[in-house]
Structure formats: C-alpha cells, structure tokens
Amino acid sequence: MTIDLGIDLDKARRDTPGVDHVAHLNNAGGALRPSVVTDTVIAHLRREAEIGPYEAEAESADRVAAVYGSVARLVHAQPDEIALVQSATAAWNVAFSSLPLAKGQRILTARTEYISNAIALLQACERTGATLEVIEDDEHGQVDLDQLERRLDDDVALVALTHIPTGGGVVNPAEAVGALTRNAGVPFLLDACQSVGQLDVDVTAIGCDLLAATGRKFLRGPRGTGFLYASRAITERLVPPVLGLGAATWTSPTTWEVVPGALRFETWERSIADNLGLGAAADYALAVGLPAIEERVIALADRLREALAQTLGVTVRDKGVRRSGIVTFTVDGMRADDVRARVAAAGVNVSVTRISSAQLDYGVRGLTEVVRASPHYYTSDDELDRLLAALR
C-alpha cells in the first residue's frame, strides 16, 4: 500500500540528502534535515569567518528577527511570545523556574512526563516544600481528565504535561487539559518536544500558557536549538531567576528593568547560524503544511503498527485514543539493543527507550525497554518495508 496524502514525496526526498544513505526511522531522536537548513547554517558560519561574528549578525538582523515570526506561525502564536533557546529542556526549565512555588502548593503531572522535567519537578519540590502529584492514566492510557479536574484545587501551582512522551505513541489530550486549567486559573506548561513538527500544534486551541519545543526532532532543524512559547497573558507575571544582557535593561548602577515579552527568557550568547537554521526549518515545514505533515506521519505510523502487530514475536506497546508518529514495540526473546543492531545492519535507524527515561510510565506497565521507530513525512513505504523485513 502506498500512502500519498498531499505530500510531494519525491520533492521532500530530493530536499533530504540523508535518504540516499539510510532509512531514517529515528526522527523522535533527531530528523534528517532538508538541504536548505544545512545550507543556511553553513552560509552564516562562512560569513562570520569572512567579516566577523558580530558584523555578520548585524548584516543579517532582519533575517534573525524574522525567525521569531516563522516560529510563531508554526504554533499559531505572536512573535513577541517566542523566546529562542538552546533546547526544549532549556525552554522548559526557564519557564518552570520562573513560576513561584511555596510550601503547601501542589504540582500536577502525568505518568508520561519526560525524565528531565520529572527530575526538575522533584528537585523543586524538595527545595520549596511543594508536592508533586501524578495523575493516573485512564483506561485508554492517556492522562485521566476526570481525575485531573477533581485535583485542580486552589493550591495547585502548575499543571505540567508532556504532549507526546519519548517512549510511547500516545498523544495526550492537551486541548482538554487546557480547558480545565483555564477554567481553574492554573498555569499550564506543555512539553511539545515531540509534537512540534509532526502535529499541527495550535497554542490558542490548546490553551497552554507555556510551551517548550526543540529544533532537532520532527521540526528538522539544527541540534542545539529550541524555543519557548510564553503567552502574553502570563509573561508579565514571570521573571526568570537569572537575568542577563538582553533579558533586562541596566537602568542605573543599582537598578534594572525586565524587558517586555518573551525575550526575558533568552540568554544573550547564542548561535546565530543555528537560529537562522531553525527559522529555515520552520519556513520549510510551513511551506509543506503542518496539516499535511500530520496526516502523512500518522498514516505511516498506523501502517507500521498494523504490520508489526501481524509479525510473529513482535508486540506493539503504544497506547492512547490518539496516537502519534512514534511507534514502540518489543521482540520476544531479544534485547532492544540487539534489535536495533539487527535492523541497523539492514540500513535502518531506530532507537531504544529505557525505563530510566520513563520511570513513572514503564514501571507500572512492566516494561524495562522498548524499540522506538519514528517515521516522518519524507519516509517512503519501501523504508518501512525494510524495517519489517529485517524484523522478520
């Protein structure tokens, strides 16, 4: 069966030199970049070498400013609601650390919360005396909305949710969570590290106050890039714990003023070349069309799950009502690393997720590790077949 859902697959593959070398089914780790992203980064690095880094930045000031607009359009936000940072973790941490916490307050999260976020939440609770509560999954394996609604009391300081977990195909119902948090007046921080670039993410529809995302995964941008969306409604109430040049203005020897908008969450020193590459990746995704990208990615993942379920000895481990382009499975009698090595010998990239990255989720499901395959819209049907043939 050939899947063609409005994506010009031939063009997408021509624009992606990496497909000539490998069947890349590890987009949840890091995607193959389109040539325009690589060319954009290299061109700016060369210009820095020719005329100097500060001079090259000044020369490209309009293009640098345009990146904020491109990223904002990607998630249906406004440019002044975007901060450019080094990773999704950096975005999540600067947002979370800007929220005041006190003894007796509660933070609500789900079983699918990402390792870096979970550790930061536990550390903050130990430091402040706040408590962390885990909302159980419902019968479908997604965050239980009824339980969340019952727990949203006046002492809840934050709801932190991972949209798509690193080790499973579920898409948590972020819009429904956003409706509940808005009604309760509780800040909502969404980790969209795995969803931006594969889903049509709309922060207005979701209703999150803060959203963290990376460039290197499904967005197909440079490694070492990410962004934070901070809504106008919450930004002026938040001040990062450490401010520097660009985030605040030094108004006198003893005073300073925090800058307006999301720029307060940035640090001054950053890679201009990589940020321009992030903008190129956002523009490329917008040109392809996020609805079309989402439709094809989900169709490819559904096809792969169906074929894996029919393969002797293979168990698909994904759950949820709505599922993403991340497909997880185990093979009877084989370690996940051995499966990865076997398919790598056939020229196919997959990855492994372990319980150390999913303690809240895998522990209650009796899992210690899974193989993770994550196609993207530039993935061909033949590449899925190569994975399946290697497994068989």
Side-chain angles (χ1 to χ4, degrees):
M1 177 183 67
T2 299
I3 298 173
D4 183 5
L5 298 169
I7 295 286
D8 186 342
L9 182 60
D10 289 339
K11 181 181 185 307
R13 292 178 69 80
R14 285 196 307 272
D15 290 346
T16 309
V19 301
D20 295 334
H21 305 281
V22 68
H24 189 68
L25 302 181
N26 187 21
N27 293 282
L32 298 179
R33 300 172 192 164
S35 294
V36 65
V37 172
T38 304
D39 293 344
T40 297
V41 173
I42 292 174
H44 189 80
L45 289 175
R46 284 180 175 150
R47 193 59 177 155
E48 287 185 342
E50 291 167 352
I51 67 171
Y54 277 67
E55 291 73 14
E57 179 181 4
E59 183 180 79
S60 60
D62 290 343
R63 294 172 57 221
V64 173
V67 174
Y68 293 88
S70 297
V71 172
R73 287 193 298 277
L74 191 73
V75 295
H76 303 270
Q78 299 301 316
D80 65 333
E81 296 177 311
I82 300 298
L84 302 180
V85 294
Q86 291 74 36
S87 66
T89 298
W92 193 97
N93 278 329
V94 73
F96 174 60
S97 62
S98 301
L99 291 160
L101 289 175
K103 185 176 181 179
Q105 290 186 310
R106 298 154 54 225
I107 302 169
L108 305 182
T109 191
R111 289 208 166 272
T112 50
E113 193 65 350
Y114 183 56
I115 172 176
S116 297
N117 306 346
I119 290 172
L121 292 169
L122 291 168
Q123 183 184 31
C125 288
E126 183 179 79
R127 184 176 63 248
T128 64
T131 57
L132 178 64
E133 296 183 10
V134 177
I135 305 298
E136 296 296 333
D137 292 340
D138 65 14
E139 67 273 21
H140 305 293
Q142 62 189 19
V143 64
D144 190 318
L145 296 170
D146 291 336
Q147 186 180 145
L148 174 61
E149 185 174 20
R150 290 195 298 272
R151 299 266 197 105
L152 281 171
D153 298 329
D154 291 340
D155 55 359
V156 174
L158 174 70
V159 171
L161 179 71
T162 293
H163 201 185
I164 299 174
T166 189
V170 63
V171 180
N172 273 312
E175 289 190 19
V177 172
L180 293 176
T181 56
R182 283 196 305 272
N183 186 58
V186 173
F188 176 20
L189 170 56
L190 183 67
D191 182 336
C193 187
Q194 296 289 5
S195 51
V196 168
Q198 71 153 308
L199 303 183
D200 186 12
V201 175
D202 185 336
V203 293
T204 302
I206 291 172
C208 56
D209 300 285
L210 301 155
L211 177 147
T214 187
R216 78 175 193 272
K217 296 180 183 285
F218 288 93
L219 187 51
R220 307 181 66 193
R223 192 168 188 178
T225 60
F227 68 89
L228 172 68
Y229 156 77
S231 73
R232 289 172 173 172
I234 199 172
T235 298
E236 297 307 314
R237 302 179 359 226
L238 304 180
V239 178
V242 178
L243 294 168
L245 176 62
T249 303
W250 200 7
T251 54
S252 80
T254 58
T255 61
W256 72 93
E257 292 180 0
V258 181
V259 300
L263 293 180
R264 66 184 60 196
F265 300 106
E266 292 189 355
T267 56
W268 174 256
E269 183 55 38
R270 63 265 178 92
S271 169
I272 301 301
D274 286 338
N275 279 352
L276 289 171
L278 178 67
D283 289 339
Y284 190 92
L286 289 164
V288 175
L290 272 302
I293 290 173
E294 176 176 338
E295 188 177 17
R296 178 168 172 82
V297 170
I298 301 308
L300 286 166
D302 285 345
R303 184 207 157 189
L304 181 56
R305 285 191 193 94
E306 183 179 351
L308 287 170
Q310 296 172 2
T311 301
L312 184 65
V314 175
T315 303
V316 176
R317 298 297 183 174
D318 296 324
K319 56 183 183 175
V321 175
R322 183 184 178 194
R323 295 181 180 180
S324 73
I326 295 178
V327 180
T328 58
F329 60 94
T330 54
V331 179
D332 293 347
M334 289 191 70
R335 295 173 59 248
D337 283 330
D338 294 336
V339 176
R340 176 172 57 181
R342 192 75 64 88
V343 300
V348 181
N349 288 346
V350 296
S351 62
V352 174
T353 301
R354 309 180 199 284
I355 191 172
S356 56
S357 294
Q359 290 281 3
L360 296 174
D361 184 20
Y362 282 13
V364 297
R365 296 169 63 192
L367 296 172
T368 57
E369 59 181 16
V370 298
V371 183
R372 184 181 71 179
S374 46
H376 212 336
Y377 64 91
Y378 59 79
T379 301
S380 69
D381 295 281
D382 288 344
E383 288 174 329
L384 295 187
D385 290 338
R386 285 170 64 183
L387 170 62
L388 295 166
L391 289 171
R392 289 170 184 145

